[in-house]
Amino acid sequence: MSRRVSPGLRSGSLPLLVALMTLLAGLALAGLTGVQALADGWAQAARSAATIEIPTDIPNASDRTDALIHALKALPGVTNLQKLSTDKVQDLLAPWLGQPTDARKGLPGLSLPTVLIVAHTPDANLGSTVHDTLPEAIVQEDMQWGQRLEHLGTSLVGCAWLALILIAAIAVLSIGITVRRSVAAQKRAVEIVHSLGAGDFTISSHIAGRAALLSFMGGVAGLVLLTPLTTSLATTLAPFTHQATVPSTFPTTLDGWWTTLRILPLSLLKELGALPVIAALLGWITAQGVVLVWLRRLP
């Protein structure tokens, strides 16, 4: 029983399989973390803002707009109110209306609306206040987009978890097939040891320990293969985290790698670090089950 777990296979086949599974699992975890962060940020931003459009061709538009602004500022739950300038509104509508030239000095025949951006808490009721003060105004609650983004994020998170489950299932299946072929290749030696009085659990534990070690080595190799990808992800996320100390280019020194990797969420780093341990645990459990079932079928 001192032979390798997979003598019938090419040397290093089990670590290679586990390394590839670890690489896929790491990519799925990185995608899961990114999707969760983006979905939470989008949904939170969308839930806390509303856009109000006020036609400027209504009677007493200026006075009624000022009255609406005062009413909104006095409304509980409104945290901030911003009135966009005409130039800003024109810039926002430029993709549809085009940019005016100096000769035109505006967009003839078009009356641009007054736009208010209102930041508020989820319990603030803007609709009734706007309707009572200025019925002609149009309220676009970004909360609807927040709900849609939340649903989208939930779906993507579910897909990422499904991918992780499938990767774990494929890893267990690969380890099981490898161990099963290994035991079959050593059938004569196992039968001799078994006939000499070695217990089933003793034999299975010996093979399972070797499988766990090889799986752990494969998990570590998978993390090494994953490092350039996670570093690239961290470099891409650096501008969004306002980290001035992170290089904008791919790091080439050990300090640069560590500084860049610190941009990634701590939870993701812990999950990635646990992958080799999880791989070893799956290898041990799978090998134990496969070998014990195989030994029970011996005459």
Side-chain angles (χ1 to χ4, degrees):
M1 296 301 295
S2 60
R3 301 170 65 186
R4 297 175 64 87
V5 172
S6 54
L9 298 178
R10 189 172 50 183
S11 177
S13 59
L14 183 57
L16 177 60
L17 289 173
V18 176
L20 294 177
M21 294 300 104
T22 302
L23 178 61
L24 292 176
L27 292 176
L29 285 174
L32 175 62
T33 302
V35 167
Q36 286 178 328
L38 289 177
D40 292 343
W42 289 341
Q44 182 62 32
R47 279 195 295 264
S48 61
T51 302
I52 302 176
E53 299 180 12
I54 305 171
T56 55
D57 55 357
I58 60 176
N60 301 322
S62 179
D63 295 337
R64 297 174 67 187
T65 299
D66 292 339
L68 176 60
I69 292 175
H70 289 302
L72 290 174
K73 288 183 177 179
L75 185 67
V78 174
T79 58
N80 187 30
L81 190 150
Q82 179 184 6
K83 180 181 179 181
L84 300 185
S85 64
T86 303
D87 293 338
K88 183 63 176 178
V89 174
Q90 191 167 273
D91 291 339
L92 292 175
L93 298 178
W96 295 271
L97 303 180
Q99 284 285 4
T101 61
D102 293 338
R104 294 171 62 186
K105 296 182 180 181
L107 296 171
L110 293 178
S111 177
L112 297 179
T114 300
V115 178
L116 305 179
I117 305 297
V118 183
H120 61 88
T121 57
D123 57 346
N125 187 8
L126 302 181
S128 59
T129 301
V130 174
H131 179 74
D132 295 339
T133 307
L134 211 164
E136 295 87 349
I138 300 175
V139 180
Q140 177 63 47
E141 271 290 358
D142 293 343
M143 187 179 297
Q144 298 176 356
W145 286 103
Q147 294 173 349
R148 295 172 184 174
L149 289 172
E150 187 174 0
H151 293 159
L152 175 61
T154 302
S155 301
L156 294 177
V157 168
C159 291
W161 277 115
L162 179 60
L164 284 173
I165 294 173
L166 291 177
I167 291 171
I170 295 173
V172 170
L173 182 61
S174 301
I175 294 173
I177 294 175
T178 303
V179 173
R180 179 67 177 80
R181 294 180 61 180
S182 170
V183 175
Q186 306 180 83
K187 181 178 179 180
R188 183 58 180 167
V190 173
E191 289 177 345
I192 293 175
V193 174
H194 192 264
S195 64
L196 291 176
D200 292 355
F201 188 75
T202 301
I203 298 174
S204 64
S205 296
H206 180 81
I207 298 178
R210 181 66 177 174
L213 177 60
L214 293 178
S215 298
F216 181 81
M217 293 170 57
V220 173
L223 285 185
V224 173
L225 294 175
L226 188 64
T227 300
L229 298 177
T230 54
T231 305
S232 177
L233 175 63
T235 304
T236 303
L237 292 177
F240 300 97
T241 57
H242 306 289
Q243 296 284 342
T245 59
V246 178
S248 58
T249 58
F250 197 82
T252 56
T253 62
L254 184 60
D255 291 340
W257 281 63
W258 173 244
T259 303
T260 304
L261 288 177
R262 289 175 60 186
I263 290 299
L264 297 176
L266 181 61
S267 58
L268 175 60
L269 295 178
K270 291 181 178 179
E271 291 170 353
L272 294 177
L275 287 180
V277 179
I278 296 175
L281 183 61
L282 288 177
W284 190 88
I285 295 175
T286 304
Q288 281 280 8
V290 170
V291 176
L292 287 175
V293 170
W294 186 84
L295 291 173
R296 295 290 173 86
R297 295 177 178 177
L298 288 178

